[in-house]
Amino acid sequence: MAIYKEPKTNTWRVVYRYTDWRGAVKQTQKRGFTTKREAQEWEREQLLKKECSLDMNFASFIETYIVDMKNRLKENTWHTKEHIIRTKILPYFSNKQIDEIQPRDIIAWQNEIISEKKKDGKSFSPVYLKTVHNQLSAIFNHAVKFYGLPSNPAAKAGNMGKSKNREMQFWTQDEYKKFSFEIMDKPISFYAFEMLYWCGIREGELLALTPADFDFEKETVSITKSYQRLDCRDIITDPKTPKSNRVIKMPDFLAEEMQDYISQLYEIQPNDRIFEITKHYLKHEMERGSKAAGVKRIRIHDLRHSHISLLIEMGFSAVAIADRVGHESIDITYRYAHLFPSTQNEMADKLSLIKNGGDENVSKDR
């Protein structure tokens, strides 16, 4: 490496050569340092990164983490992680040497984040706090697994927040019917919410739908992609999980509604999006319809909960429901256990019969 002063700008420049993982020698540089000391400090960090030395500061390790991880994740997933790193983690740990960060530093950071307020003056939700902590812990886990950090201080400090927010909310069928009646004045809203409620799909899955996804002879819709709006760009990605790729059988009335809706779209092409609206628009319409119908306000995602609760009420198994909504059956069993009919009393009664020498065939009745 070499450091030069540039007379025209009165600033300092660092030039250095390095060998990449293929063995090719490359050269790079950075300009604009106001002092030689700043240039030397940056040079030192580059050498530490090159050697994968944990003497580097946290901000330098983040650059390494980005190189290692960014191309492995979907763009929208990385966008979320990057925002958390930039706004909630780097401001606190940038200049700390990564191998000197202790659990007490993590606890102090947690207390700072917990006390922060959003723009509306409200505190962060428990779920968001847990998400932020998990991201910091993931960074340290990466350093432990691949760069020789002895232990993860975030894991030792323990988590903050919790995995679930407020109690799950959903609409009954009667509440949804009242709501849907009030939004019939806007066809695009009506048909969008029909898909959300009667198929239990996610917002991103809804907004990615095209005419080619529908088979009206079989009355099915194929879920193969998801829509995101990132940095003023429309992004189509794979669905949330591999299990999310699925074919959903629509009720016959919904198939007729969607065929009618698509036929009304002017010069629509097979791969054009049929709902060219935003998540903000859906939220606004949800609030408008709820108020007009006099039903409780729920989130858009709660329509998915509403669909699942309706299927449970109709007597379908967790496995069948999971296939329809793109979940693992264990997730349905765990998250919606309180909605399945309770069998505790029946179990206790049959155990009593066994104890008392009663029904001999009871053990087969599980």
Side-chain angles (χ1 to χ4, degrees):
M1 289 197 183
I3 299 176
Y4 304 96
K5 187 169 186 179
E6 300 187 291
K8 290 184 179 180
T9 60
N10 200 33
T11 58
W12 295 82
R13 174 168 60 109
V14 180
V15 179
Y16 75 99
R17 292 183 179 87
Y18 65 97
T19 303
D20 68 11
W21 64 276
R22 292 187 179 90
V25 177
K26 296 187 176 182
Q27 178 174 296
T28 189
Q29 63 180 323
K30 188 173 178 65
R31 302 171 181 267
F33 296 102
T34 55
T35 66
K36 185 176 182 179
R37 182 175 180 179
E38 288 179 3
Q40 289 173 329
E41 181 59 30
W42 185 83
E43 178 188 41
R44 175 180 176 276
E45 286 296 320
Q46 300 315 301
L47 288 169
L48 290 173
K49 284 198 295 183
K50 179 183 174 184
E51 296 167 1
C52 296
S53 170
L54 292 176
D55 288 339
M56 74 176 78
N57 62 37
F58 187 84
S60 293
F61 184 76
I62 288 297
E63 293 179 20
T64 300
Y65 180 76
I66 290 171
V67 170
D68 290 349
M69 298 300 297
K70 186 174 181 178
N71 292 334
R72 298 171 180 265
L73 302 172
K74 290 194 292 186
E75 185 175 357
N76 58 311
T77 301
W78 177 257
H79 189 272
T80 301
K81 290 169 75 71
E82 187 275 334
H83 177 77
I84 290 173
I85 291 170
R86 176 170 48 82
T87 63
K88 298 293 180 285
I89 296 176
L90 278 176
Y92 296 88
F93 296 109
S94 283
N95 298 321
K96 283 185 172 290
Q97 196 168 300
I98 189 168
D99 61 353
E100 292 182 353
I101 297 174
Q102 300 297 315
R104 62 177 177 271
D105 299 317
I106 306 299
I107 292 171
W109 166 77
Q110 288 177 340
N111 290 333
E112 288 278 349
I113 298 296
I114 290 170
S115 65
E116 274 189 28
K117 303 292 182 184
K118 296 185 289 185
K119 290 180 180 179
D120 60 7
K122 296 180 180 179
S123 300
F124 294 116
S125 72
V127 169
Y128 183 72
L129 291 174
K130 185 176 178 65
T131 300
V132 171
H133 176 89
N134 286 348
Q135 180 53 63
L136 179 63
S137 189
I139 293 167
F140 282 115
N141 278 338
H142 192 76
V144 170
K145 187 173 183 179
F146 299 107
Y147 294 95
L149 188 69
S151 63
N152 179 345
K156 288 183 177 180
N159 218 321
M160 62 177 173
K162 57 184 180 180
S163 57
K164 287 186 179 180
N165 253 339
R166 58 196 172 113
E167 185 178 348
M168 187 184 299
Q169 295 194 68
F170 54 88
W171 277 340
T172 63
Q173 190 176 347
D174 183 58
E175 287 174 313
Y176 174 71
K177 285 181 177 179
K178 290 178 180 178
F179 166 82
S180 64
F181 177 79
E182 295 297 337
I183 60 168
M184 282 183 178
D185 58 329
K186 293 185 179 180
I188 194 168
S189 300
F190 173 75
Y191 292 114
F193 282 106
E194 285 283 272
M195 288 297 298
L196 288 169
Y197 182 79
W198 294 109
C199 290
I201 59 179
R202 301 176 177 92
E203 274 183 279
E205 295 169 348
L206 170 82
L207 297 178
L209 288 176
T210 66
D213 295 322
F214 292 85
D215 185 331
F216 291 114
E217 289 188 10
K218 297 180 179 178
E219 298 183 335
T220 61
V221 58
S222 297
I223 306 300
T224 60
K225 53 194 174 296
S226 184
Y227 168 86
Q228 303 287 336
R229 182 74 175 171
L230 297 176
D231 299 326
C232 300
R233 293 179 297 124
D234 293 333
I235 303 295
I236 301 296
T237 68
D238 293 334
K240 188 175 181 180
T241 66
K243 184 79 173 179
S244 299
N245 282 281
R246 62 201 188 278
V247 177
I248 299 173
K249 182 74 164 66
M250 295 180 287
D252 54 6
F253 70 85
L254 181 62
E256 291 176 9
E257 288 178 351
M258 293 309 300
Q259 189 168 21
D260 182 55
Y261 169 66
I262 292 173
S263 70
Q264 297 173 31
L265 300 176
Y266 181 68
E267 294 187 348
I268 188 76
Q269 299 301 308
N271 294 315
D272 290 344
R273 289 172 51 223
I274 63 173
F275 294 112
E276 291 195 322
I277 52 180
T278 65
K279 292 183 179 181
H280 177 75
Y281 174 87
L282 287 172
K283 182 180 179 182
H284 176 270
E285 287 296 275
M286 189 79 157
E287 292 173 351
R288 180 178 75 89
S290 300
K291 184 176 180 180
V295 297
K296 63 180 177 287
R297 288 172 59 179
I298 61 175
R299 301 171 304 164
I300 300 293
H301 192 72
D302 288 327
L303 289 173
R304 185 168 162 85
H305 299 322
S306 301
H307 182 71
I308 292 171
S309 68
L310 177 61
L311 296 178
I312 292 172
E313 184 181 344
M314 294 169 68
F316 292 102
S317 70
V319 173
I321 295 171
D323 286 341
R324 182 173 179 82
V325 300
H327 260 312
E328 296 292 342
S329 58
I330 187 66
D331 294 333
I332 295 293
T333 303
Y334 175 72
R335 295 187 64 190
Y336 300 90
H338 60 293
L339 297 179
F340 283 94
S342 175
T343 58
Q344 287 292 324
N345 291 337
E346 183 183 358
M347 288 178 183
D349 291 342
K350 289 187 176 182
L351 288 170
S352 295
L353 283 172
I354 292 175
K355 171 68 174 174
N356 296 325
D359 187 355
E360 294 179 357
N361 296 319
V362 72
S363 61
K364 299 178 182 178
D365 226 0
R366 292 184 294 171

